[in-house]
Amino acid sequence: DAGITQSPRHKVTETGTPVTLRCHQTENHRYMYWYRQDPGHGLRLIHYSYGVKDTDKGEVSDGYSVSRSKTEDFLLTLESATSSQTSVYFCAITDRWNTGELFFGEGSRLTVL
Amino acid sequence: AQTVTQSQPEMSVQEAETVTLSCTYDTSESDYYLFWYKQPPSRQMILVIRQEAYKQQNATENRFSVNFQKAAKSFSLKISDSQLGDAAMYFCAYRTANTGNQFYFGTGTSLTVIP
């Protein structure tokens, strides 16, 4: 199994509070991604990173920011959480020169009250 | 952006029977990758099978096989001899082969296996 750890795994917070989700990998993979999963929508890309300090927006990036200061860590921040951001968040990694697949973390369930 | 469509939100199959899950995609690229992922109730995303677009031969992994029709932009998953453990949400995914390495997912098909 790919070494990907997400934290926290579960979090309940209130509207308007900041939230940071962490993704840590031990595979030294270049590409890291944050997805959210909602019923009827599948997985939608929030942000991704193609290297340290190199990030780009996905299709649902509004209200989210990311940072990658080290190869192994990719942080997702909700500056001011809203109820519409209640979701399951997945971190994923891939190595362009390897098998081509995405390896996923276990997911983080966030509830915004 | 590429789009991936799974037109069957739910499917069911009798144990030991065969079921086919559909997936179509829209792209202007000639080189790309396609995947099927399984998500059981544990929520973990598990790779089932992958297909490189430049390969004409359909991928097979034990009881799982695909029917890749490049011209039709279709990528269906066939599960043979269905088992109770196959019950899960299945996602079809497309990966670009060019810069960016973006992945696009369908909305998923929930598969129920009936004993």
Side-chain angles (χ1 to χ4, degrees), chain A residues 33 37 96 100-102, chain B residues 35 37 39 43 50 95 101:
Chain A
Y33 307 78
Q37 183 180 15
R96 180 184 179 90
E101 71 190 82
L102 268 180
Chain B
F35 306 86
Y37 282 88
Q39 186 182 40
R43 202 168 68 194
R50 79 169 62 82
R95 173 184 176 171
N101 279 292

Side-chain angles (χ1 to χ4, degrees), chain A residues 9-10 31 33 35 37 40-43 45 48 88 90 94 96 99-102 104-109, chain B residues 33 35 37 39 42-45 47 50 52 89 91 95 97-108:
Chain A
R9 296 289 311 280
H10 300 87
Y31 297 90
Y33 307 78
Y35 289 90
Q37 183 180 15
H41 292 277
L43 287 100
L45 181 65
Y48 67 101
V88 177
F90 283 95
T94 192
R96 180 184 179 90
T99 58
E101 71 190 82
L102 268 180
F104 285 87
E106 315 97 317
S108 297
R109 180 176 293 278
Chain B
Y33 304 89
F35 306 86
Y37 282 88
Q39 186 182 40
S42 68
R43 202 168 68 194
Q44 183 64 45
M45 294 287 287
L47 178 68
R50 79 169 62 82
E52 290 89 345
M89 181 73 80
F91 291 98
R95 173 184 176 171
N98 57 15
T99 58
N101 279 292
Q102 293 210 34
F103 289 74
Y104 300 89
F105 286 82
T107 52

Side-chain angles (χ1 to χ4, degrees), chain A residues 49-93:
Chain A
S49 171
Y50 45 94
V52 174
K53 297 186 179 179
D54 291 325
T55 64
D56 207 347
K57 297 179 179 179
E59 62 179 309
V60 291
S61 60
D62 287 348
Y64 302 94
S65 63
V66 290
S67 65
R68 192 173 178 193
S69 59
K70 298 184 290 185
T71 298
E72 57 267 34
D73 290 326
F74 192 33
L75 304 181
L76 177 70
T77 298
L78 292 66
E79 299 292 347
S80 178
T82 67
S83 59
S84 64
Q85 293 176 312
T86 292
S87 187
V88 177
Y89 292 86
F90 283 95
C91 175
I93 66 175

